[in-house]
Amino acid sequence: MTDRLAELNPSQREAVTTLSGPLLVLAGAGSGKTRVITYRMAELIRSGIQPSRILSVTFTNKAAREMQERAGKLLGKSRSERPLVATFHSLCVRILREEIAALGYPANFTIYDRGDQESMARTALRDIRVPEKSMKPGDLLSLISKWKGAGVSPEQARDAVDGDLEALAAAGYRRYQQGMKAAGAVDFDDLLYLTDRLFTTSPELLARHQQRFDTVQIDEYQDTNGLQFRLIESLVRPHHNICVVGDDDQAIYGWRGAEVRHILAFPQHFPGTKIIRLVDNYRSTSQILALANQLVTNNRNRHAKQLLAHKDGPLSVKIKEHPDEGTEALDVVREITWLTKQKGVPPGDIAILFRTNDQPRAFETELRRAQVPYVLLGSQSFFDRREIRDLLAYLRVCSRPEDEIPLLRIINVPPRGIGATTIEKLVGRAQKTSQRLWNAMPPALQTGELGQAAGNAISGFRTLIEKYRRQFAENPRALSTTLEKLIDEIGYHAEIEKQYEQATQHELRKTMLGELVTAVRQYESRTTHPTLHGFLQETSLGGREDEPDKDDKLQAEGVKLMTLHSAKGLEFPRVYLVGMEEGLLPHKRSTSERSGDVDEERRLCYVGVTRAREFLTISRAQTRMKWGKPRVCQPSRFLFEMQGLPVPPQVLMGDDRR
């Protein structure tokens, strides 16, 4: 074996050197799957495959960047050409930019964020005369997302509705899609849904994209949904040179459409599949892995495997029971305080993991009282902040003023004398004349129907937008500088001071504006041909495919508090897995529904256990406060399973007093 593969273990080496045919790499927690994917890319290139004909797909921008960086180091700087490493959504954006005209959309389509989608959903419901008390925009979007994730068109949804609510939603779905298309916009689900439509309705187009790649790799394959499977199966249909890497024991996203059956049935989907198991775990101690292995064997519908420990730690696991949730938090924080202040353990080496978003409150209270620094992950996203959404709306209008959702957001922000009556007149004119709102403004100004003051305000607004449209287009290497000028000219700093009374809020929100300018500047520096449209596209994808604040928070010094879902892919020297009770983990929703839901909760617990490298403390409360009264809690069935003990009948029966 060549020296370049010397640091790989035998299973990793076999996966890296298997270069053709369908390959399933079952990569257990902490077994080095990213290393396998990047080494395999390098081996494919060394075997003679052109880098541009290799596609590697993952789920987050962060994972894609890490994969690109590692592959670049292995291949060396002499190779300028690189494999395409993309997320599912960024791959589909590339395809749609080339092909979406076939579906009647503009090539420079806008990608709507959640706020824009809700505005369009609200309009769709209003158009079909459905009051908000009958269906909220968020409920409509939830059903639309489910339909799109399954590749169901508005027409198919209409023909397969189940009950009156779905009938209303199907009508809303049809009107929503019409509105999106008219606006030249797509939502996040459309990126996959419309690409699938192109592939299924145009064999010639599909053949063209099939011919682009000789081999395809998929990371985190257990997280794929039905549409993602269809897209990848379509691309590799001519040659079946597909390698998927994943772990069915870490499939925890069924609630958002992921289907574990894709990895379980991979050999049936692709006959002749070679299966390689990566079971050497270099992360956790033997005692931690013993619990994890024992727990997950209770899921019968899985690929058989046992993680093998390469670290010993006979005293690395503790299981504790507390009278109530307050005592649980007090005991955990008391131990953390002793570790950090007496034993010199860095707070950032410690994580507290929980199942639900309401659990961290007691731990936050105790950590503050003990003056131990902490970071709560999963709080408001940078891109969801009001001031950031306002400025991004300005940028989107400068990029494409025909886009009415962001135009309506900022037409009078900060206030410039364009009131609701004026906007209503403009919208009415646009609807009557079948024009976009932006194009309806000049004729309205010419007729004088808006009044002098409102007319002057509209004219000034259009002049402002046209001015900055030109500046962004003419100075693509100075996008950040142009944005700073725009912020000053519209007086947004003064608007922040008007909106918020506290000086701390002024400082925080002005800092956020600076962070947006920095984000634009970073985009300029890393992009060969920067454009305003390119920045907005990157932002639209990044805001959904990554948690913009997560990396910063992980780097911050402090105990990490996060849900088990947020913890996937991370690891910490010391982990506290709290709230191990029936109704919390497994969550009560899963125990009242299908058995597969309990299996997913068990996998979620397995993910929590395998986040720990050196020390794991598992705790539960005997009672919890609910509606102001203490309620008895049954210990989680998983506590018994991971210790190889029979689960008492009263645990599985539940407790009505909860």
Side-chain angles (χ1 to χ4, degrees):
M1 191 56 61
T2 57
D3 288 340
R4 64 177 177 265
L5 304 181
E7 63 179 64
L8 303 179
N9 66 37
S11 298
Q12 292 172 334
R13 195 177 300 126
E14 185 182 5
V16 164
T17 54
T18 302
L19 302 180
S20 62
L23 173 63
L24 170 59
V25 180
L26 295 169
S31 63
K33 71 178 179 65
T34 306
R35 172 183 290 182
V36 165
I37 292 172
T38 51
Y39 268 79
R40 190 172 181 274
M41 272 196 290
E43 284 302 297
L44 286 165
I45 293 168
R46 291 188 180 110
S47 74
I49 296 179
Q50 228 177 308
S52 61
R53 301 190 63 78
I54 300 169
L55 170 64
S56 287
V57 184
T58 186
F59 277 83
T60 66
N61 290 315
K62 179 187 175 187
R65 285 192 298 270
E66 182 183 356
M67 217 178 281
Q68 284 171 325
E69 289 166 7
R70 288 205 198 183
K73 288 177 182 175
L74 289 172
L75 293 168
K77 295 181 180 178
S78 59
R79 290 184 182 270
S80 56
E81 196 180 15
R82 291 280 186 266
L84 174 58
V85 183
T87 63
F88 276 100
H89 291 89
S90 63
L91 172 66
C92 289
V93 167
R94 292 169 69 102
I95 295 169
L96 291 176
R97 291 290 178 208
E98 297 176 26
E99 314 287 4
I100 200 170
L103 297 175
Y105 289 77
N108 66 336
F109 58 83
T110 301
I111 303 171
Y112 273 6
D113 64 16
R114 178 70 184 191
D116 300 328
Q117 286 180 259
E118 288 186 355
S119 296
M120 186 63 76
R122 191 170 286 108
T123 300
L125 290 170
R126 188 180 64 230
D127 289 349
I128 62 171
R129 293 179 170 79
V130 174
E132 198 157 318
K133 64 182 179 182
S134 299
M135 178 172 287
K136 293 183 173 61
D139 296 334
L140 173 61
L141 289 175
S142 178
L143 281 166
I144 290 174
S145 182
K146 185 183 84 171
W147 279 322
K148 287 182 179 178
V152 175
S153 69
E155 294 72 29
Q156 291 169 323
R158 180 195 60 204
D159 295 338
V161 294
D162 182 15
D164 293 342
L165 189 66
E166 282 198 6
L168 291 177
Y173 179 18
R174 180 171 173 272
R175 186 67 193 90
Y176 172 86
Q177 282 302 96
Q178 290 173 342
M180 294 289 285
K181 191 171 184 178
V186 302
D187 61 27
F188 203 61
D189 293 316
D190 276 330
L191 298 176
L192 274 64
Y193 169 71
L194 294 178
T195 303
D196 180 63
R197 278 195 61 195
L198 285 169
F199 282 1
T200 53
T201 59
S202 175
E204 301 85 0
L205 184 151
L206 172 59
R208 187 160 65 249
H209 288 278
Q210 286 172 334
Q211 291 160 12
R212 286 189 170 186
F213 304 109
D214 294 326
T215 186
V216 175
Q217 299 188 138
I218 313 293
D219 187 21
E220 301 285 10
Y221 189 68
Q222 77 279 353
D223 295 337
T224 52
N225 64 24
L227 210 48
Q228 289 161 339
F229 170 77
R230 279 164 55 170
L231 289 169
I232 293 302
E233 191 280 328
S234 297
L235 283 175
V236 303
R237 199 174 294 153
H239 52 70
H240 280 193
N241 284 328
I242 178 172
C243 166
V244 303
V245 183
D247 183 9
D248 49 301
D249 289 334
Q250 296 185 74
I252 60 172
Y253 294 120
W255 53 276
R256 67 183 190 196
E259 299 180 41
V260 69
R261 65 187 177 89
H262 293 147
I263 194 167
L264 294 175
F266 185 84
Q268 286 73 53
H269 293 144
F270 299 96
T273 291
K274 181 176 184 177
I275 301 176
I276 297 173
R277 290 170 170 81
L278 306 182
V279 295
D280 291 280
N281 178 287
Y282 301 95
R283 175 191 298 162
S284 305
T285 67
S286 56
Q287 195 180 14
I288 292 169
L289 288 188
L291 290 183
N293 284 328
Q294 186 69 45
L295 171 69
V296 81
T297 54
N298 288 275
N299 279 355
R300 289 185 173 83
N301 194 18
R302 62 186 287 266
H303 288 290
K305 52 193 172 301
Q306 286 271 318
L307 293 180
L308 303 175
H310 285 255
K311 289 163 62 175
D312 198 18
L315 301 176
S316 57
V317 173
K318 290 187 286 188
I319 298 177
K320 293 188 171 185
E321 190 174 273
H322 303 282
D324 52 57
E325 72 267 42
T327 309
E328 179 186 41
L330 180 63
D331 184 72
V332 167
V333 173
R334 186 181 289 143
E335 183 171 298
I336 289 173
T337 304
W338 177 75
L339 287 168
T340 55
K341 296 184 178 179
Q342 302 298 321
K343 305 298 288 183
V345 174
D349 283 0
I350 302 169
I352 301 174
L353 307 183
F354 40 84
R355 175 62 178 88
T356 65
N357 284 314
D358 57 351
Q359 285 176 260
R361 182 195 55 77
F363 295 91
E364 285 194 82
T365 300
E366 295 300 336
L367 286 165
R368 286 178 180 176
R369 188 176 294 157
Q371 297 184 325
V372 174
Y374 72 91
V375 180
L376 178 64
L377 280 88
S379 57
Q380 186 183 32
S381 164
F382 172 76
F383 292 106
D384 286 337
R385 294 181 178 276
R386 175 181 172 180
E387 59 274 15
I388 301 304
R389 287 176 57 80
D390 285 347
L391 267 297
L392 286 175
Y394 267 99
L395 295 182
R396 286 169 55 185
V397 171
C398 288
S399 175
R400 193 169 177 275
E402 296 83 9
D403 195 349
E404 290 185 2
I405 298 290
L407 179 61
L408 286 168
R409 181 181 181 93
I410 51 94
I411 194 170
N412 196 43
V413 174
R416 54 175 56 89
I418 303 173
T421 302
T422 300
I423 295 170
E424 195 174 317
K425 287 180 181 177
L426 286 170
V427 170
R429 169 179 270 277
Q431 290 173 341
K432 285 177 187 174
T433 58
S434 299
Q435 288 179 296
R436 309 307 297 164
L437 180 61
W438 178 259
N439 298 326
M441 290 179 183
L445 292 172
Q446 290 170 3
T447 61
E449 64 193 78
L450 301 177
Q452 186 173 351
N456 289 341
I458 289 289
S459 180
F461 174 67
R462 279 184 61 90
T463 300
L464 173 83
I465 296 299
E466 291 291 1
K467 171 184 172 181
Y468 281 96
R469 284 195 78 193
R470 286 192 303 273
Q471 290 192 22
F472 282 121
E474 292 168 2
N475 303 290
R477 278 284 166 203
L479 298 176
S480 55
T481 304
T482 305
L483 174 58
E484 286 181 296
K485 291 178 183 175
L486 173 61
I487 292 170
D488 287 340
E489 185 158 346
I490 63 176
Y492 205 91
H493 287 288
E495 173 66 7
I496 286 174
E497 291 176 2
K498 287 180 190 173
Q499 290 288 330
Y500 304 98
E501 295 180 2
Q502 297 179 346
T504 53
Q505 282 291 329
H506 298 167
E507 191 63 33
L508 171 64
R509 293 176 186 277
K510 288 178 181 179
T511 299
M512 290 300 107
L513 298 185
E515 287 297 313
L516 180 61
V517 172
T518 298
V520 176
R521 190 164 288 133
Q522 289 170 341
Y523 164 77
E524 291 167 357
S525 66
R526 68 173 177 266
T527 308
T528 308
H529 302 292
T531 64
L532 179 58
H533 183 74
F535 170 74
L536 291 169
Q537 175 174 300
E538 185 177 285
T539 301
S540 297
L541 289 175
R544 293 293 298 267
E545 294 192 325
D546 285 329
E547 296 174 55
D549 294 343
K550 187 172 180 179
D551 287 345
D552 291 340
K553 288 183 175 181
L554 284 170
Q555 296 303 318
E557 182 56 27
V559 176
K560 307 302 185 292
L561 278 68
M562 67 184 83
T563 64
L564 289 162
H565 285 101
S566 296
K568 185 171 179 287
L570 305 176
E571 57 185 74
F572 302 92
R574 296 174 180 270
V575 167
Y576 292 84
L577 180 52
V578 301
M580 282 290 290
E581 301 136 34
E582 287 290 300
L584 280 179
L585 186 65
H587 195 276
K588 59 186 175 184
R589 282 196 305 268
S590 72
T591 58
S592 61
E593 297 171 9
R594 304 181 307 273
S595 62
D597 296 319
V598 175
D599 287 352
E600 180 155 322
E601 291 288 302
R602 187 176 287 111
R603 293 192 291 266
L604 191 57
C605 184
Y606 173 85
V607 165
V609 170
T610 55
R611 295 316 90 194
R613 294 208 302 255
E614 309 290 345
F615 299 97
L616 171 67
T617 298
I618 301 171
S619 63
R620 82 167 190 98
Q622 294 172 328
T623 63
R624 280 186 188 270
M625 295 295 286
K626 190 172 184 180
W627 303 108
K629 295 180 180 179
R631 306 286 175 138
V632 174
C633 302
Q634 292 290 347
S636 170
R637 67 189 71 185
F638 301 153
L639 279 171
F640 298 94
E641 292 176 355
M642 66 176 64
Q643 297 177 83
L645 301 173
V647 180
Q650 65 268 27
V651 169
L652 298 178
M653 289 169 57
D655 192 322
D656 292 336
R657 291 173 293 169
R658 272 194 57 79

